């Protein structure tokens, strides 16, 4: 009299030879917020017992996601009044990143998010480098980077929302982009790296510390094959030890302004 | 909350440990004591009586006043009250062995036949777009929870916008945006995020001289509708992908964004997890019969038409000859390759030929093979999904120089869809020669694996069927997508839900996908099907 349902609930992978897929792939997903897990156990308990708590938590989750979208809205309307470079630069500065106009100093917001407004006068000067490390840029926000037609160096280190979809959106920068750093982005995998083949002018690419890349050594070799004129920085194949997240080298790969 | 608290109180006491259920329906051999068997919806009245009187009898004799009757009397009285409460509360089955939670409910507002991506997507959007939380009761009936034959699980997971019909382009763009934000749409509190494993490498379609003009036209439409597709000359092609032999290629179109392939299993699982968290019921069983009523109506020119309405769905449970009737207001036919059978159950296509009654749902299972091969010298990391002029296609799978691909057979070569066995000669004779011609490195490939699946093939015009049936007024279709149903699922689900809740398509106009086109003979041909 055992219930047929309890057995079949474990959705097994379809018969045949689907060795590459199955339910385990769900578990392998990356959760950038996993550090907050512990604090949630009380909430988790509550939501197991009260539907309203679960509903509220769903609401907060949604709220958090809406905020990211809000931060990444299109700044293209500024393009008409201030020119594409200023619009793009303003987007990055609002995000908390730094920009460098040609022959000028880096402009970087302070810890309160304030930044010097003098760049509005540079509307004729192109932006040549962007350091968006640790910014909440996502797929939609990347559109604002397309405004920067002469961007040579771009750092997207440790951006929590950069994923494989985003990498397929860098090709409009292909004509000018020479340096790209993706180091430490938690969601980027070898699948996204594959579409960097559009960036034929790339001279330097940093793909170190990408936890979602399943096979860093092999991936690096294949990326090098795909971009023969580019120096690819990634795993140091000679170095046997892997650094933990706390010991990650900070700031070593800041883009060097040309 | 209330039922939970009450059921806790009811659960104690040895006498109440009886299989009692309000659901249950046609027993399935699970209910042992038939005095406690309560058929669907029937309140237990007479069934309980013999038990009660027999037990109570001795107490009438031994004492006069209630207070003098002692502890034992009150205990029994209490357990009786508990039993009564239990019998009016739904779903408080007390014995773990006689759990009836896998049975479908007696009634549900919407019954969705088929728990593949299309069925689940309709369920998701119905719950998402309902005006009030919990307003709609939705039941998904799926006969095989392992999805061993379902197209959703056996498909290649490709998504592209290089269609010739604007509707298909819109659907695909909508799906791309859905999949990109899948962890927002399908977020479940405390569940790990989904890893869709999306490979954003694009589709590369090759056209011979004969088809070049059509390709150029199609790309114009695609760009107008917002797809990021570019055209490439054979020279550009050689430059970008040196491993391609461009002989016989006049033009190529290449998708730059929102195109590639993903893990269909992940989408299926994610949708399932989400709809269950939204309160959609999921049950294993096969839909075997519809019970319907019919109304006779006169058209403007005094012709009589019979309008049918399904009011009961019979769900046959696994390993059993018995069934459970489910009362319903709407039925969604999302049974994929088998949806014509479901339509026939509702009487669709049973009538004189050339009438609307006699128009069948022209969807049938067509067997398609997928082969996996290994080729160390094959195309590198950058290789997109290539759709050759011959109809052959392939793509990279993982990093280990593995590739997979196949080819749709011509009408004459169409294999028997009886089972899902793989024909290896088909690869040798019909696929490999084309592969080796297009990519010379593939001359030395080694086939490692193969599988087959069914396309939900629309023989009329290879396009989806969406929306209500004109005569069986409460059956809605979401089927017939002939090899691109997976990528269209998010958009189609939304369209069907809008049709049900708002009475018209809002986000994407799919009027040209309505069933009536089969009767009117209005083909909407899609050129780019592989
Ligand atoms: C080899 C192959 C490759 C493909 N590649 C792609 C691709 O790259 N991109 C793309 O977009 N699409 C692709 N497809 C097509 C795609 O898989 C289908 O169009 C899509 O999965 C259809 O989804 P569905 O939910 O309608 O069907 P299914 O997944 O087949 O679901 C129908 C379900 O209904 C159930 N059912 C049937 N009858 C009953 C009944 N009487 N009672 C209860 N349940 C019932 C079945 O068990 C089944 O699970 C491919 C298909 C195949 C076969």
């Amino acid at each position: 009299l055992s219930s047929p349902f309890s057995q079949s609930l474990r959705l097994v992978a379809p018969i045949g030879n689907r060795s590459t897929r199955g339910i385990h792939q769900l578990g392998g997903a990356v959760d950038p917020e996993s550090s907050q897990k512990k604090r949630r156990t009380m909430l988790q308990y509550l939501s197991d017992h009260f539907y309203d708590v679960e509903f509220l938590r769903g609401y907060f989750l949604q709220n958090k996601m809406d905020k990211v979208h809000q931060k990444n809205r299109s700044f293209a309307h500024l393009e008409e009044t201030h020119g594409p470079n200023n619009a793009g630069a303003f987007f990055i500065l609002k995000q908390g990143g730094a920009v460098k106009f040609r022959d000028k100093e880096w402009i970087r917001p302070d810890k309160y998010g304030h930044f010097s407004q003098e760049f509005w006068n540079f509307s004729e000067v192109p932006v040549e480098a962007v350091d968006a490390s640790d910014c909440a840029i996502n797929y939609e926000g990347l559109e604002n980077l397309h405004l920067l037609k002469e961007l040579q160096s771009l750092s997207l280190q440790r951006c929590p929302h950069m994923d494989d979809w985003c990498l397929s959106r860098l090709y409009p920068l292909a004509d000018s982009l020479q340096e790209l750093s993706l180091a430490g982005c938690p969601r980027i995998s070898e699948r996204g790296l594959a579409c960097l083949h559009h960036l034929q002018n790339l001279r330097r690419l940093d793909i170190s510390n990408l936890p979602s890349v399943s096979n860093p050594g092999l991936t690096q070799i294949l990326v090098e094959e795909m971009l023969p004129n580019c120096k690819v920085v990634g795993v140091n194949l000679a170095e046997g030890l892997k650094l933990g997240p706390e010991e990650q080298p900070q700031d070593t790969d800041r883009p060097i302004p040309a | 909350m209330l039922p939970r608290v009450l059921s806790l109180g009811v659960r104690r006491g040895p006498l109440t440990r009886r299989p009692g259920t309000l659901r249950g329906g046609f027993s399935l051999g699970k209910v042992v004591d038939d005095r406690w068997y309560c058929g669907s919806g029937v309140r237990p009245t007479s069934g309980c009586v013999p038990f009660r009187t027999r037990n109570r009898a001795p107490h009438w004799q031994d004492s006069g006043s209630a207070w003098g009757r002692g502890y034992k009397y009150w205990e029994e009285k209490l357990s009786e009250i508990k039993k009564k409460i239990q019998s009016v509360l739904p779903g408080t089955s007390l014995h773990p062995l006689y759990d009836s939670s896998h049975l479908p409910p007696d009634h549900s507002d919407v019954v969705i036949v088929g728990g593949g991506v299309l069925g689940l997507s309709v369920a998701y959007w119905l719950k998402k777009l309902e005006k009030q939380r919990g307003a709609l009761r939705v039941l998904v009936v799926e006969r095989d929870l392992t999805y061993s034959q379902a197209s959703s699980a056996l498909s290649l997971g490709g998504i592209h916008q290089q269609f010739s019909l604007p509707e298909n382009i819109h659907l695909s763009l909508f799906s791309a945006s859905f999949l990109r934000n899948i962890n927002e749409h399908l977020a479940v509190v405390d569940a790990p995020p989904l890893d869709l494993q999306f490979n954003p490498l694009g589709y590369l379609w090759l056209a011979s001289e004969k088809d070049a003009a059509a390709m150029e036209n199609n790309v114009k439409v695609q760009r107008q509708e917002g797809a990021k597709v570019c055209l490439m000359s054979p020279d550009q092609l050689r430059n970008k992908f040196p491993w391609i032999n461009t002989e016989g290629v006049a033009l190529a179109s290449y998708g730059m964004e929102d195109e590639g392939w993903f893990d269909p299993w992940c989408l299926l699982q994610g949708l399932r997890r989400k709809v269950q968290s939204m309160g959609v019921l999921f049950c294993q069983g096969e839909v075997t019969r519809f019970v319907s009523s019919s109304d006779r109506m006169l058209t403007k020119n005094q012709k009589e038409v019979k309008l049918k309405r399904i009011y009961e769905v019979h769900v046959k449970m696994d390993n059993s000859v018995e069934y459970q009737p489910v009362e319903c207001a709407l039925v969604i036919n999302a049974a994929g390759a088998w949806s014509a059978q479901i339509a026939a159950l509702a009487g669709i296509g049973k009538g004189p030929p050339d009438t609307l009654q006699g128009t069948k749902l022209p969807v049938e299972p067509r067997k398609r093979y997928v082969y996996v091969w290994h080729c160390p010298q094959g195309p590198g990391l950058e290789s997109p999904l290539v759709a050759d002029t011959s109809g052959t296609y392939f793509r990279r799978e993982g990093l280990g120089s593995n590739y997979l691909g196949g080819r749709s057979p011509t009408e004459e070569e169409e294999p028997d869809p009886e089972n899902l066995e793989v024909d290896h000669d088909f690869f040798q004779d019909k696929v490999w020669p084309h592969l080796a011609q297009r990519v010379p490195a593939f001359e030395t490939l080694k086939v490692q694996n193969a599988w087959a699946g069914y396309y939900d093939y629309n023989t009329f015009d290879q396009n989806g069927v969406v929306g209500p049936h004109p005569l069986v007024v409460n059956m809605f279709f979401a089927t017939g997508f002939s090899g691109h149903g997976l990528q269209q699922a998010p958009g189609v689900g939304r369209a069907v839900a809008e049709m049900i809740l708002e009475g018209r398509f809002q986000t994407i106009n799919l009027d040209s996908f309505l069933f009536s086109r089969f009767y009117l003979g209005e083909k909407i041909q899609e050129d780019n099907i592989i």
Side-chain angles (χ1 to χ4, degrees):
Chain A
L1 289 177
S2 75
S3 151
F5 193 66
S6 63
Q7 285 160 19
S8 40
L9 241 182
R10 279 179 283 118
L11 284 163
V12 294
I15 49 158
N17 20 58
R18 329 299 316 286
S19 55
T20 49
R21 62 190 66 192
I23 196 164
H24 59 274
Q25 289 175 346
L26 274 177
V30 192
D31 179 9
E33 285 118 356
S34 62
S35 59
Q36 301 175 7
K37 273 261 162 69
K38 270 184 210 120
R39 264 185 283 142
R40 287 209 194 131
T41 38
M42 183 64 193
L43 273 177
Q44 199 165 341
Y45 171 80
L46 283 172
S47 56
D48 283 348
H49 291 83
F50 298 97
Y51 295 126
D52 302 347
V53 177
E54 192 181 317
F55 177 71
L56 261 182
R57 290 182 59 197
Y59 175 78
F60 287 136
L61 200 71
Q62 185 61 45
N63 219 358
K64 213 163 106 193
M65 294 186 288
D66 289 348
K67 265 196 196 138
V68 175
H69 285 299
Q70 171 66 13
K71 265 191 147 176
N72 282 288
R73 67 196 182 278
S74 172
F75 278 51
H77 58 280
L78 289 177
E79 191 186 347
E80 267 172 40
T81 43
H82 296 90
N85 281 295
N86 275 347
F90 186 54
F91 165 73
I92 294 295
L93 290 166
K94 284 289 268 187
Q95 281 266 349
V99 290
K100 186 180 178 308
F101 286 81
R102 180 172 296 159
D103 303 325
K104 309 274 185 222
E105 291 294 299
W106 278 92
I107 307 173
R108 191 179 289 277
D110 62 19
K111 62 181 176 200
Y112 305 107
H114 301 312
F115 47 86
S116 131
Q117 302 288 322
E118 60 167 345
F119 74 92
W120 293 111
N121 308 324
F122 305 159
S123 58
E124 298 304 309
V125 190
V127 172
E128 59 179 19
V130 162
D131 176 4
S133 307
D134 299 298
C135 291
I137 298 189
N138 69 4
Y139 183 87
E140 289 137 43
L142 277 180
E143 198 174 332
N144 294 319
L145 283 183
H146 297 168
L147 298 167
L148 308 174
K149 295 279 177 250
E150 293 181 52
L151 188 65
Q152 291 172 0
S153 165
L154 174 62
S155 167
L156 296 167
Q157 293 184 43
R158 298 178 300 278
C159 287
H161 301 290
M162 271 295 128
D163 58 11
D164 295 335
W165 292 82
C166 296
L167 295 193
S168 72
R169 233 189 178 195
L170 293 177
Y171 72 92
L173 302 171
D175 285 342
S176 61
L177 201 63
Q178 297 178 6
E179 269 181 45
L180 177 65
S181 172
L182 303 169
C185 291
R187 296 192 184 185
I188 287 177
S189 79
E190 66 277 12
R191 296 180 285 277
L193 293 176
C195 55
L196 296 182
H197 72 96
H198 288 295
L199 306 179
Q200 282 301 335
N201 292 322
L202 220 52
R203 296 286 166 269
R204 186 171 190 279
L205 172 66
D206 188 345
I207 53 169
S208 50
N209 287 315
L210 299 179
S212 296
V213 171
S214 54
N215 219 328
L218 177 60
T219 304
Q220 181 171 349
I221 293 168
L222 292 172
V223 171
E224 277 167 356
E225 260 173 30
M226 183 177 83
L227 294 166
N229 301 325
C230 176
K231 175 167 172 35
V232 180
V233 185
V235 274
N236 187 349
L237 294 173
E239 183 189 313
L241 285 170
K242 228 177 142 189
L243 296 181
E246 298 84 7
E247 313 155 56
Q248 266 176 29
Q250 301 276 329
D251 293 323
T252 45
D253 295 315
R254 285 279 143 130
I256 306 126
Chain B
M1 283 309 293
L2 186 70
R4 283 198 195 186
V5 174
L6 281 175
S7 72
L8 271 179
V10 169
R11 225 159 255 181
R12 262 173 261 121
L15 272 175
T16 55
R17 287 191 164 261
R18 290 275 163 179
T21 169
L22 252 186
R23 311 163 101 214
F26 293 74
S27 79
L28 297 173
K30 293 220 155 58
V31 180
V32 182
D33 185 344
D34 61 355
R35 280 172 304 182
W36 287 90
Y37 164 57
C38 316
S40 50
V42 185
R43 294 277 175 272
T45 45
S46 57
C48 314
V49 173
F51 188 62
R52 185 172 57 195
T53 43
R54 195 182 53 205
N55 268 329
R56 218 192 237 168
H59 296 290
W60 290 121
Q61 290 145 13
D62 54 50
S63 49
S65 83
W67 294 114
R69 279 174 195 161
Y71 174 73
K72 215 173 165 199
Y73 170 81
W74 283 109
E75 195 183 46
E76 279 191 11
K77 193 90 186 151
L78 197 69
S79 73
E80 223 169 77
I81 295 169
K82 280 179 192 166
K83 259 181 259 158
K84 265 195 188 150
I85 294 176
Q86 174 212 332
S87 67
V88 295
L89 288 176
T92 47
S93 61
L94 294 178
H95 206 293
L97 271 183
Y98 309 118
D99 181 13
S100 65
S101 59
H102 65 288
L103 293 176
D106 303 330
H107 48 267
S108 174
D109 299 316
V110 182
V111 174
I112 299 177
V113 189
V117 275
L118 279 168
L120 290 175
S121 169
V122 174
Y124 168 76
W125 285 108
L126 277 175
K127 292 307 274 182
K128 179 94 182 165
L129 301 178
E130 68 186 356
K131 291 272 147 46
Q132 201 189 346
R133 239 168 94 90
L136 273 181
R137 267 184 297 182
V138 180
L139 169 72
V140 178
V141 184
E142 167 58 54
R143 66 174 169 205
D144 176 13
L145 288 180
T146 63
Y147 293 101
S148 57
Q149 299 211 323
S151 325
S152 303
L154 294 169
S155 91
L156 287 178
I159 176 166
H160 68 91
Q161 287 87 45
Q162 299 179 47
F163 290 106
S164 58
L165 274 183
E167 284 88 347
N168 280 331
I169 301 170
H170 288 164
L171 280 173
S172 176
L173 281 170
F174 180 89
S175 300
S177 128
F178 182 92
L179 295 175
R180 201 160 53 230
N181 299 310
I182 189 165
N183 277 312
E184 297 179 24
H185 292 286
L186 303 186
V188 174
V189 173
D190 288 329
L194 297 164
D195 182 10
L196 194 65
Q197 311 237 340
F198 179 62
N199 284 268
L201 287 168
Y203 271 54
L204 179 69
W205 292 78
L206 308 180
S208 60
E209 207 158 331
K210 171 169 79 59
D211 301 322
M215 173 175 275
E216 225 177 308
N217 258 335
N218 288 345
V219 170
K220 212 186 269 167
V221 178
Q222 289 150 15
R223 288 215 190 133
Q224 255 167 22
E225 307 298 340
K228 303 280 190 297
V229 181
C230 69
L231 285 171
M232 288 171 97
S233 69
D235 272 343
Q236 288 170 317
L237 206 58
R238 266 193 300 272
N239 250 330
K240 194 143 195 80
F241 306 113
W243 35 264
I244 285 190
N245 169 14
T246 54
E247 202 185 313
V249 177
L251 194 64
S253 67
Y254 182 31
M256 309 291 279
E257 270 182 51
D258 291 339
E259 293 197 3
W261 54 93
F262 59 91
D263 180 11
W265 191 245
C266 170
L267 176 63
L268 193 67
Q269 278 284 351
L271 277 169
R272 222 185 99 133
R273 192 175 85 173
K274 180 68 182 176
V275 298
Q276 284 184 324
S277 83
M278 291 167 114
V280 171
L281 292 177
F282 204 91
C283 103
Q284 179 172 22
E286 182 171 354
V287 170
T288 49
R289 194 173 159 222
F290 296 118
V291 186
S292 44
S293 61
S294 55
D295 288 320
R296 279 171 206 285
M297 305 260 215
L298 288 180
T299 59
K300 261 187 257 161
N301 26 13
Q302 299 302 306
K303 264 209 214 130
E304 195 187 77
V305 284
K306 209 166 85 182
L307 292 186
K308 267 187 160 181
R309 179 174 286 277
I310 300 168
Y311 63 87
E312 205 174 88
V313 178
H314 287 189
V315 180
K316 183 167 122 11
M317 310 310 295
D318 211 23
N319 305 325
S320 159
V321 288
E322 293 171 278
Y323 63 87
Q324 160 88 19
V326 182
E327 265 178 67
C328 64
L330 281 175
V331 174
I332 316 275
N333 184 348
W338 302 272
S339 48
Q341 289 171 19
I342 299 295
L345 286 182
I348 293 168
K350 284 186 188 136
D354 298 326
T355 63
L356 191 48
Q357 274 111 321
T359 309
K360 290 196 171 74
L361 177 68
V363 176
E364 59 181 45
R366 293 249 172 131
K367 185 151 98 171
R368 294 290 178 266
Y369 307 116
V370 180
Y371 303 91
V372 184
W373 61 88
H374 182 74
C375 179
Q377 286 80 41
L381 206 56
E382 75 281 6
S383 136
L385 188 145
V386 180
D388 186 27
T389 49
S390 60
T392 319
Y393 65 89
F394 70 88
R395 67 158 162 87
R396 183 169 61 72
E397 172 75 5
L399 300 179
S401 304
N402 289 326
Y403 302 85
L404 48 78
R407 181 179 172 216
S408 287
T410 58
E411 283 290 327
E412 301 82 54
E413 295 162 357
E414 209 52 79
D416 178 12
E418 191 53 42
N419 57 39
L420 282 178
E421 258 162 45
V422 175
D423 177 2
H424 285 276
D425 292 340
F426 186 77
F427 184 79
Q428 287 292 328
D429 304 340
K430 310 281 182 193
V431 184
W432 190 23
H434 296 289
L435 284 175
Q437 203 263 333
R438 190 53 66 217
V439 180
F442 282 154
E443 267 166 30
T444 57
L445 62 79
K446 252 177 100 177
V447 176
Q448 306 235 309
N449 240 329
W451 78 83
Y454 295 123
Y455 270 17
D456 41 344
Y457 195 84
N458 174 351
T459 53
F460 183 76
D461 59 10
Q462 288 79 57
N463 268 307
V465 191
V466 180
H469 187 270
L471 293 180
V472 183
V473 289
N474 62 345
M475 175 174 273
F476 284 68
F477 298 101
T479 184
F481 278 86
S482 322
H484 53 283
L486 184 80
Q487 60 175 304
Q488 313 292 50
V492 173
R494 181 165 184 139
V496 173
E498 285 174 353
M499 195 57 160
I500 290 171
L501 298 170
E502 311 290 340
R504 64 195 169 89
F505 297 121
Q506 287 178 320
T507 315
I508 302 170
N509 186 353
L510 296 183
D511 281 341
S512 49
F513 284 1
L514 288 171
F515 182 93
S516 43
R517 74 179 191 271
F518 305 132
Y519 169 63
L520 301 170
E522 290 167 357
K523 281 193 186 177
I524 41 163
Q525 207 70 41
E526 172 58 62
D527 305 338
N528 293 350
I529 299 278
I530 43 175

